[in-house]
Amino acid sequence: MDMITSIHNESIVETRKLKQKKHREASGLFLAEGLRLCEVAAAVDAVEQAYYHEALADTDRGAALLRELSGRTRRFVKVSARVMQAMAETEAPQGILCVCKCRQVSLKDFQPDKEGLVLLADGIQDPGNLGAMLRILWAGEGRGLICLRGTTDPFGGKCVRASMGGIFHVPVINGVDWPGVARWAIVNGYEVIAAESGAGRDYRRINWPKKTLLCIGNEAQGLITIPAAEVKERVYIPVKEGAESLNAAVAAGILVFEANR
Amino acid sequence: MDMITSIHNESIVETRKLKQKKHREASGLFLAEGLRLCEVAAAVDAVEQAYYHEALADTDRGAALLRELSGRTRRFVKVSARVMQAMAETEAPQGILCVCKCRQVSLKDFQPDKEGLVLLADGIQDPGNLGAMLRILWAGEGRGLICLRGTTDPFGGKCVRASMGGIFHVPVINGVDWPGVARWAIVNGYEVIAAESGAGRDYRRINWPKKTLLCIGNEAQGLITIPAAEVKERVYIPVKEGAESLNAAVAAGILVFEANR
């Protein structure tokens, strides 16, 4: 099979553009790199194109992934080590990079078939935090992630990697505004719970609704766009006096698993 | 006051060496940069030397920190923007960098004056995770962090920044081996609880001991050096079938706050 050795090859150039949000939005595609992520992507049939380095076949796991991808991928392309390095965002790429479909859901179509918790991110800036939230929602059976406009792009490389595959399993509603979400919550029977630092009620003392819309705000400023009057209950995790509040992803983990009790 | 404008200045060269673990270990010093970290460092009187850029004085908060540091710092030095950039590890330094004392505790001297939880890190590799654990322990009133040999250095820059000041408030016992910790736990009445993925008992179903030594393992491999026979109880956080287990810091947050209930 032919191997692409030039980073100026048209499909390589086009694929690398997906590192930028505007190209992801225009195409509805995003990048997943590394064995674990590409395995998850293949398992849910989200892969459109796969680029690999031949050394991937040297391990059983890599060879199995290549077989899996070769059968079900529109483009399946061998590239040189230099091209792989140029396409990848990690320093030591594992030799596999997939172009995947963004499976975004519109608010209108977002109708979880089970009760449970939906997380809303209001201005989260760190893609590592947002990705950790996707990982938490996958593990903790959250029903979806709503990202208000102003939140970092959930399909960005760092977020995708931090999600450890959660991006392929958790329904994502991206770039929406609060008023529409507020209407969605009313129509679908979700109660709005806002995580705050030091305000409201101790998270262990509330009755978590069967349908919870849990809102987590910006790392430094907290909730940015959600009016206080539209929040049913504010909850906090008590921390030692004088200490910094918890990291947004850690707080999300504690609250999601508390709601699951 | 004189300003250092050369990155070849001897004290600048010496300070920059503290980015490397061997120099931190040899000197017992480490670096903290940014307003929040340096405020915490000053408040606990951990600062040996402070380097600042004059623009820091332009804000009330920066000016207050400069006043605080100038009174209680052995060396208090103005540097040019270029020197600050070279000293800092962040891309957009806030204009303040402090050389701080590592307040390590030896196992022998580690005698928490209250019951509670001590966290043990066995091979944590990501400094962001280890720093998040320090932040969790500070917020959740953990009594200390024990880092087994092979764990990333808690005094490294990325860990210090992720701790958000926890490094100055949580006693740290660094670079020790398991047999010594096992003896310490017996002598001091701590029970060894190991976090696992999918093995042992559901974390909500155990009676958390008043003195808990909670062991968290490596991100990929779990516990590396602690023999199973020396663990009193293994706990796991239930996750959805097929999903990736939780990130080590998120798991630590859930378990530390569960033990606090």
Side-chain angles (χ1 to χ4, degrees), chain B residues 217-229:
Chain B
N218 172 269
E219 288 88 344
Q221 299 162 258
L223 293 181
I224 300 174
T225 59
I226 304 178

Side-chain angles (χ1 to χ4, degrees), chain A residues 11-104:
Chain A
S11 68
I12 304 301
V13 171
E14 287 302 307
T15 301
R16 291 178 73 193
K17 284 184 182 168
L18 296 176
K19 295 180 185 180
Q20 296 166 53
K21 184 180 174 187
K22 65 177 178 186
H23 290 287
R24 292 193 295 269
E25 286 181 342
S27 63
L29 299 171
F30 71 104
L31 300 175
E33 62 178 270
L35 273 165
R36 173 67 177 145
L37 270 182
C38 293
E39 284 168 352
V40 177
V44 300
D45 209 15
V47 180
E48 288 272 302
Q49 306 168 32
Y51 297 85
Y52 69 96
H53 183 263
E54 57 194 349
L56 188 66
D58 292 349
T59 66
D60 290 347
R61 187 176 167 190
L65 176 59
L66 283 181
R67 278 194 304 276
E68 176 75 16
L69 287 170
S70 70
R72 54 163 79 210
T73 307
R74 209 162 47 79
R75 282 179 63 91
F76 182 68
V77 185
K78 182 154 69 173
V79 299
S80 67
R82 188 166 145 268
V83 169
M84 179 54 70
Q85 188 72 58
M87 298 180 90
E89 291 184 323
T90 55
E91 279 176 31
Q94 294 178 300
I96 181 70
L97 181 144
C98 291
V99 175
C100 302
K101 287 172 281 210
C102 295
R103 287 202 176 131
Q104 290 189 55

